[in-house]
Amino acid sequence: MIQSADDIVRGSVVHADICIVGGGPAGIVLALELSRTGRSILLLESGGEAPTEQARALNIGEVAEGSLHSPPDTYRQRVLGGGTSIWGGRCVPFDPIDFEARPWIDHSGWPIGYDEVERHYAAANAWCEAGEYEYDARLAAPNGMRALLRGFSPRHFDTNGIERFSCPTDFGSRYRNRLRSAPNLRVLLSATATRLRAARDGSRIDALDVCNGRDAAFSVVAGQFVLAMGGMETPRLLLTSDDVHAGGIGNANDLVGRFYMCHVAGTIGSLRVNGAADTVWHGYDLAADGTYCRRRIAPRPATQAAMGLSNAVFRLHHPRIADPAHGTGPLSAIFLAQRFISYEYAKRLVSDAPPSAKTWLRHGMNAAIDSPSTARFLLHWVKARILADRKFPSIIVRPRTNLFSLDFHTEQAPNPDSRIGLGSSLDRFGNRQLRVDWRYCRQDVDTVAQSFDLLGQELADQAIGQLTLAAGERDIETVVRRDGAYGGHHIGTARMGATARSGVVDRNGKVFGVNNLHIAGSAVFPTSSQANPTLTIVAMAVRLAEHLSERVTRVPSIRESVN
Amino acid sequence: MPDSIDYSRKPVLILGASGFIGSRVAAALERSPIYRPVAASRRSAISVDATDMQSVLRALRDVDCVVNCVAGKDDAMVRAAQVLCDAARSTPPRRIVHLSSMAVYGAATGSVTEDHGPVEPVSLYGRAKIACEGIVGRYVRDGGDAVILRPSCVFGPGSTQWTTRLIRLLRAGRLGDLGAGGDGGCNLAFIDDVVGAIVAALDAPDVSGRTFNISSSADLTWNQFLMAFSKALGATPIRRIPGRTLRIETRILAPFRRVAAKAVKAGWTEAITPSLAALFRQDIRIDSGAAQSALWLHRTPPEQMIAAVLRDNRTKQELAAV
């Protein structure tokens, strides 16, 4: 059942076998998987079924360097479904190399192997509605997917890896009926966790303090607690809960909130492809199961090792929208419509700098001169995106010339100085707001620069095309700083480690030293991979559900008592 | 009548023998060393009007058991059950195996065993099946020997309702990935498994007066099944059907298609009725554990069911049709 916590009487105690905090993809998948075990499950979501201003205000926080990182109340969604209510749906599994301790990347390596996550990817694909677990371009579509660049067979890059796209599935609306009808499951909306109450000896969580939308406080007592609050709220709640554990729960070794990673991502360079237009395919192919699939260009693991690179991926992209030199009507139409595009998407599509009147005019001219393609693009967008349930994933515009840019999405090396901490301002419940201090390091910049150069070299060697940088992009660090942290991916702030010295949680996601507290979501990822995190968040949630269903002892079903 | 009939085999009267299930039961008994089918329908060689007392009484005279597969209009099914039980009171067969349906559970959700009561809304078909079960139940209380089987959606070669219809809708792109509309439990009873359970029920010990769910699939959603079936049929890429489109199908188009279906049997006249759409959403899992132990119910895995359908000539003809 789904209920509002606003109806819960102040001072009440709500009991459950397992209490999951956070109704995003991890929390929803955990709740639905665990509800089948016969145990009583309580899922707390701070927001409601639709976004509200009151919930959004709880996301507000400080950012140390505003030009590098989005404000914490953007991208994050306090609503049932969490980030999936606005995500783009890109699903990519992590690579085996992501789990290895790589000598050239400090603090790399997971305490679990790739196979432990890999065996849950099929289920994660199903939850994300991203079709079958098949990420090889030669097998994903009937007769294989079209070649990205005909004749290109690079030594250092793999072009057969793909990304598959979810609908994109908003877990809140897609699984609402199941959350309502699942036996033994109670979802409380408008229920904000404010503090974890540890036992006097710190070895377990006795209760969780919760406030509802009317600011009435109540408690939850559960056999197990799972925090599935995302990579920012999870460290915030742990750090806030410092009454027994000085410095916060799980923070004996000062790891909570540290190693904060996003992805280093942006659009760079221009690639002029030799030959006719049909030598390039930068769009989507449809798998037999109906999912949109797209090839990527990824540095091979051996190349990463030889050159000391972090994991990375490139995608062939239309030219930078903001620059009217592309002369392409649909791209200029998008530029002109930027005020109708949400912050999260506009940030990547258009320019940070305010455009001049001349720029506006040139885009207007492009859209007018190229009006037949603009009209075709808009018609396709309405049909395949706005009206479709499985949405065409992104803007694919065939440039008028064989001129493309490259999207890059690279792993960010774990860095203890990049961190989420507590700021000085207080939220509505009197808790300190977030403070984001995102940092990148030399390794992050070098990965982009070196893999870009290497790709350019292979494209030139094989006479595929010329990859060049614009004058303002020659210093790659400028590009990294221009595009900043990839806003929606919050990783590593309660990292998994083999021991309490290297991690906040153990291989099963249990907080070291606390017997009944687990963490789900990308907060536990020790490294960030090249892949977008949602698919792996879901796979890890399925894994955690399997672990918890074996572990939790049965206690009486959900009951409520008034003290 | 062929000379080779072995009169030492026990004669089993099959009412509704020209129907999908009845004809398959007849064929199975034809191959049996123990039983001999007496296939009766209005159209078969042995003509029996299941709603006519005299006709049924005559048919009961020389048979050992009866399998009641009478399908058709709801009131005719109820009438046939009443006539059969009344006739059986004066000329009792050793056992009646009566075919009911999972429709008797109505909108029930969760894991459903035989003791689960009906949950509203129950379809008119479901009500008729409940009424039939009531009649058979009274016959048992009066001392008769009867077993009631409740198959789920009977799937297999020749099933117009759960096979041909689905093939047509999938190939037309009108069914596929239904999103939240396809999260319901897909309870398919493979025809061979149903026939096996019927034959087993003729002589199984300690089943008199009992009722059994008959279902082959477990823990399968309609989305999973429809997508696997689409893929096997080559009806790809599988379309995601928005909820909005399903609503237009059920609320606006279905009545027109049903009228047209009286004249033409084709993909475009297959209706997605509100009850069909509701079934795709219904989170019901038919528990056939009792039949597995008492009737040795075999449960064919979904991929084998699909493979059997693809091998069948009727499917090949359907696929050859544009």
Side-chain angles (χ1 to χ4, degrees):
Chain A
M1 64 184 133
I2 301 179
Q3 298 172 307
S4 169
D6 291 352
D7 300 329
I8 292 186
V9 179
R10 187 185 301 270
S12 300
V13 180
V14 179
H15 296 261
D17 290 345
I18 303 174
C19 171
I20 301 160
V21 187
I28 287 175
V29 168
L30 264 169
L32 287 174
E33 291 270 351
L34 287 168
S35 72
R36 300 197 299 195
T37 64
R39 297 185 171 101
S40 63
I41 312 298
L42 178 68
L43 176 63
L44 303 178
E45 166 53 44
S46 174
E49 293 196 43
T52 63
E53 180 50 33
Q54 192 185 35
R56 190 200 62 82
L58 288 168
N59 280 342
I60 292 173
E62 305 160 17
V63 178
E65 172 112 38
S67 62
L68 289 181
H69 196 287
S70 318
D73 58 331
T74 58
Y75 291 94
R76 301 197 302 144
Q77 301 292 309
R78 252 178 220 257
V79 67
L80 193 64
T84 59
S85 63
I86 61 160
W87 75 316
R90 183 175 277 121
C91 290
V92 192
F94 276 34
D95 301 310
I97 195 171
D98 294 320
F99 295 80
E100 294 169 14
R102 291 161 281 175
W104 63 95
I105 300 178
D106 288 344
H107 309 287
S108 61
W110 291 48
I112 56 174
Y114 171 69
D115 54 332
E116 286 214 34
V117 181
E118 203 260 352
R119 69 192 175 91
H120 299 293
Y121 273 134
N125 260 56
W127 278 109
C128 293
E129 301 189 294
E132 291 175 10
Y133 175 53
E134 179 53 74
Y135 284 84
D136 186 322
R138 292 161 294 191
L139 303 171
N143 308 318
M145 287 168 57
R146 282 169 272 195
L148 191 68
L149 295 160
R150 198 188 299 157
F152 186 43
S153 53
R155 193 158 64 89
H156 295 293
F157 293 86
D158 174 31
T159 57
N160 287 320
I162 62 165
E163 50 199 30
R164 306 179 72 105
F165 281 80
S166 167
C167 289
T169 301
D170 172 355
F171 281 53
S173 58
R174 173 65 181 81
Y175 298 116
R176 187 173 299 153
N177 286 343
R178 289 173 65 177
L179 291 169
R180 278 202 189 111
S181 66
N184 320 309
L185 170 61
R186 182 183 187 184
V187 181
L188 282 180
L189 301 175
S190 197
T192 305
T194 54
R195 196 166 287 251
L196 289 158
R197 295 287 174 194
R200 203 171 292 166
D201 66 356
S203 65
R204 56 180 287 111
I205 302 300
D206 281 345
L208 173 72
D209 291 353
V210 185
C211 276
N212 67 18
R214 295 174 179 159
D215 294 359
F218 62 97
S219 309
V220 172
V221 171
Q224 286 287 338
F225 289 91
V226 183
L227 306 184
M229 310 162 73
M232 288 191 179
E233 287 306 312
T234 296
R236 180 172 171 229
L237 184 65
L238 292 172
L239 293 171
T240 300
S241 307
D242 60 354
D243 44 354
V244 174
H245 294 260
I249 290 172
N251 201 27
N253 291 294
D254 191 20
L255 294 171
V256 172
R258 291 191 180 273
F259 298 97
Y260 172 50
M261 295 166 279
C262 299
H263 283 104
V264 179
T267 306
I268 192 174
S270 66
L271 171 65
R272 187 170 293 281
V273 180
N274 303 331
D278 67 355
T279 55
V280 191
W281 178 251
H282 77 308
Y284 296 96
D285 286 274
L286 266 184
D289 54 39
T291 46
Y292 289 101
C293 301
R294 193 180 182 196
R295 284 183 190 258
R296 307 134 58 84
I297 307 172
R300 296 183 192 278
T303 302
Q304 292 179 40
M307 297 180 63
L309 304 176
S310 303
N311 206 349
V313 72
F314 292 98
R315 286 182 291 263
L316 220 49
H317 200 60
H318 49 69
R320 261 183 88 76
I321 288 177
D323 181 358
H326 52 63
T328 306
L331 296 180
S332 287
I334 293 160
F335 184 87
L336 296 171
Q338 59 179 279
R339 66 158 55 203
F340 301 108
I341 303 170
S342 70
Y343 167 89
E344 286 78 5
Y345 287 93
K347 186 175 188 306
R348 296 277 153 187
L349 287 176
V350 293
S351 169
D352 291 339
S356 66
K358 192 178 160 201
T359 308
W360 282 107
L361 192 64
R362 286 183 65 195
H363 280 295
M365 295 280 286
N366 283 347
I369 291 167
D370 197 16
S371 52
S373 351
T374 309
R376 268 198 306 277
F377 169 79
L378 290 175
L379 267 176
H380 177 256
W381 195 250
V382 169
K383 183 167 169 272
R385 176 87 194 177
I386 295 172
L387 294 178
D389 236 26
R390 182 170 285 285
K391 297 185 183 302
F392 193 76
S394 69
I395 293 160
I396 296 291
V397 176
R398 177 87 231 174
R400 295 179 76 190
T401 53
N402 249 359
L403 188 65
F404 296 86
S405 65
L406 283 180
D407 244 3
F408 64 91
H409 195 264
T410 68
E411 175 181 21
Q412 196 192 344
N415 173 4
D417 295 332
S418 177
R419 64 190 296 195
I420 301 287
L422 299 179
S424 47
S425 310
L426 303 181
D427 70 8
R428 199 172 93 227
F429 303 118
N431 280 336
R432 287 164 70 189
Q433 291 180 338
L434 283 170
R435 183 171 193 277
V436 178
D437 185 0
W438 179 77
R439 312 253 182 118
Y440 63 92
C441 62
R442 197 67 243 163
Q443 167 89 20
D444 303 331
V445 178
D446 288 349
T447 291
V448 180
Q450 292 182 35
S451 33
F452 182 87
D453 286 347
L454 190 61
L455 181 60
Q457 207 178 313
E458 290 218 79
L459 288 163
D461 289 350
Q462 297 187 23
I464 299 294
Q466 300 82 48
L467 184 60
T468 52
L469 288 170
E473 296 178 333
R474 299 237 161 86
D475 175 15
I476 295 286
E477 188 165 354
T478 320
V479 179
V480 169
R481 293 186 68 89
R482 178 187 69 195
D483 292 326
Y486 199 84
H489 306 165
H490 312 131
I491 303 167
T493 50
R495 65 198 327 252
M496 187 180 269
T499 67
R501 289 176 64 83
S502 60
V504 177
V505 300
D506 69 11
R507 52 183 289 114
N508 293 314
K510 190 188 80 65
V511 175
F512 280 111
V514 186
N515 286 328
N516 63 341
L517 180 62
H518 285 74
I519 296 177
S522 52
V524 305
F525 298 178
T527 56
S528 55
S529 179
Q530 46 69 30
N532 297 49
T534 303
L535 185 73
T536 302
I537 289 172
V538 173
M540 293 283 283
V542 175
R543 178 178 180 269
L544 180 57
E546 187 183 87
H547 171 71
L548 285 175
S549 62
E550 289 161 7
R551 176 186 170 102
V552 179
T553 50
R554 242 187 113 71
V555 298
S557 63
I558 294 175
R559 61 184 189 275
E560 206 173 300
S561 61
V562 178
N563 282 346
Chain B
M1 225 179 259
D3 298 333
S4 59
I5 290 180
D6 173 2
Y7 286 95
S8 67
R9 290 153 72 200
K10 295 188 226 177
V12 177
L13 175 67
I14 303 161
L15 296 174
S18 61
F20 167 52
I21 299 176
S23 62
R24 295 296 296 266
V25 173
L29 295 187
E30 199 67 71
R31 294 189 298 271
S32 161
I34 303 164
Y35 305 105
R36 171 166 63 83
V38 181
S41 73
R42 271 177 297 189
R43 281 165 287 178
S44 63
I46 300 164
S47 174
V48 174
D49 180 351
T51 58
D52 179 80
M53 177 65 99
Q54 291 311 317
S55 176
V56 174
L57 271 174
R58 269 194 307 277
L60 283 180
R61 220 169 282 154
D62 299 315
V63 297
D64 177 55
C65 291
V66 181
V67 177
N68 181 16
C69 302
V70 171
K73 290 191 175 151
D74 299 342
D75 52 348
M77 280 191 311
V78 178
R79 171 93 187 122
Q82 190 65 62
V83 166
L84 172 63
C85 289
D86 288 346
R89 281 186 177 88
S90 60
T91 311
R94 188 171 53 77
R95 178 171 286 171
I96 294 173
V97 177
H98 171 78
L99 267 277
S100 182
S101 162
M102 71 176 272
V104 300
Y105 297 119
T109 55
S111 182
V112 169
T113 50
E114 289 81 354
D115 54 356
H116 201 294
V119 175
E120 293 297 338
V122 179
S123 65
L124 290 176
Y125 175 74
R127 287 179 198 287
K129 284 295 191 187
I130 292 171
C132 291
E133 286 194 8
I135 292 164
V136 176
R138 280 193 291 280
Y139 171 73
V140 170
R141 279 196 296 280
D142 293 345
D145 185 327
V147 180
I148 295 174
L149 305 185
R150 291 174 182 161
S152 51
C153 307
V154 182
F155 181 82
S159 160
T160 48
Q161 204 181 2
W162 295 110
T163 307
T164 315
R165 174 169 64 160
L166 294 182
I167 292 173
R168 289 179 179 164
L169 289 170
L170 289 169
R171 293 187 77 213
R174 288 168 49 213
L175 283 184
D177 171 6
L178 305 181
D183 273 347
C186 176
N187 300 281
L188 297 179
F190 187 51
I191 180 64
D192 291 2
D193 299 345
V194 175
V195 170
I198 291 170
V199 175
L202 294 172
D203 267 303
D206 308 323
V207 296
S208 179
R210 290 179 65 188
T211 300
F212 295 96
N213 287 337
I214 306 293
S215 190
S216 307
S217 58
D219 268 342
L220 183 73
T221 67
W222 278 103
N223 275 336
Q224 288 169 334
F225 174 73
L226 292 175
M227 288 167 80
F229 199 20
S230 284
K231 230 178 147 186
L233 291 167
T236 55
I238 297 164
R239 280 187 63 197
R240 170 75 166 215
I241 314 291
R244 178 182 62 240
T245 306
L246 264 187
R247 281 193 294 277
I248 292 171
E249 276 280 358
T250 55
R251 291 178 192 172
I252 300 170
L253 299 177
F256 293 104
R257 294 192 199 275
R258 292 181 78 166
V259 170
K262 294 190 195 304
V264 189
K265 291 280 179 209
W268 67 273
T269 60
E270 293 290 356
I272 302 175
T273 57
S275 59
L276 182 61
L279 184 71
F280 290 150
R281 287 193 304 269
Q282 188 179 353
D283 184 16
I284 180 171
R285 289 182 303 285
I286 298 295
D287 182 332
S288 59
Q292 287 170 57
S293 49
L295 302 176
W296 312 285
L297 172 69
H298 176 258
R299 297 194 304 157
T300 304
E303 58 278 10
Q304 286 180 27
M305 293 189 215
I306 291 173
V309 165
L310 291 182
R311 278 195 305 271
D312 184 62
N313 281 333
R314 280 160 295 191
T315 310
K316 287 176 185 159
Q317 281 164 14
E318 183 66 38
L319 293 177
V322 178

